[in-house]
Amino acid sequence: MSAVRRDPTPTSGARLCNLCQCRLSRYNKEEVCSGCSRDKQPTARSIPMDIWQLPDVRQALINREFGRMCQLIRQHGRVRQDDIAALTDLSQPFLSMLESGARKLTNIDKIIQLLDGLQAPPELTGPMLRPSMHHPPAGSAPTALSRC
């Protein structure tokens, strides 16, 4: 019995990615494959501030459900986990586990890192979660707030 060899060249009706020349799925209506379209998209470097006005995002933050909050921000802001990872300096695998519920965010330093990176408004987070806003840099002149 002989082995059947398949011709590696695409059939006559197959469409190819304009960039990498791989065969496109019949369900792909674009001219590039999903891998190339992902590479072409610029990464988001900020979260739209109107995200924080959405009731479900605010409620997740109030309840300290940081995984759910990240999911909602990604859905409403059309950003990827990689984008949030770049903004917050938290790893993408950690964010994935956080969103799935496999990990909880309990370390105050990591919470501050997440909220600062996502530019959460201080009026929503409160002064306890944003201490950098109330402490002047070392060597600066004291202000009325720092003397309290």
Side-chain angles (χ1 to χ4, degrees), residues 108-130:
I108 190 70
D109 293 331
K110 295 285 185 190
I111 293 171
I112 292 169
Q113 185 177 347
L114 176 72
L115 295 176
D116 278 344
L118 296 176
Q119 300 171 353
E123 61 269 12
L124 293 180
T125 61
M128 291 302 288
L129 293 181
R130 302 299 283 278

Side-chain angles (χ1 to χ4, degrees), residues 27-81:
Y27 304 109
N28 184 342
K29 303 296 182 207
E30 305 297 321
E31 297 298 319
V32 294
C33 66
S34 61
C36 289
S37 69
R38 227 183 349 262
D39 290 342
K40 281 180 31 180
Q41 294 175 351
T43 55
R45 291 295 174 210
S46 65
I47 302 297
M49 289 310 290
D50 60 345
I51 288 286
W52 300 106
Q53 302 309 315
L54 299 172
D56 51 350
V57 175
R58 291 173 79 101
Q59 193 60 47
L61 178 58
I62 289 168
N63 294 341
R64 305 294 188 244
E65 296 171 347
F66 298 111
R68 177 77 178 134
M69 181 189 76
C70 288
Q71 279 180 330
L72 293 168
I73 288 172
R74 287 191 322 101
Q75 287 172 352
H76 295 302
R78 293 187 173 94
V79 295
R80 302 178 306 175
Q81 281 181 345

Side-chain angles (χ1 to χ4, degrees), residues 16-24 31-33 35-36:
L16 301 178
C17 172
N18 286 347
L19 299 175
C20 71
Q21 299 302 306
C22 74
R23 188 174 181 177
L24 292 174
E31 297 298 319
V32 294
C33 66
C36 289

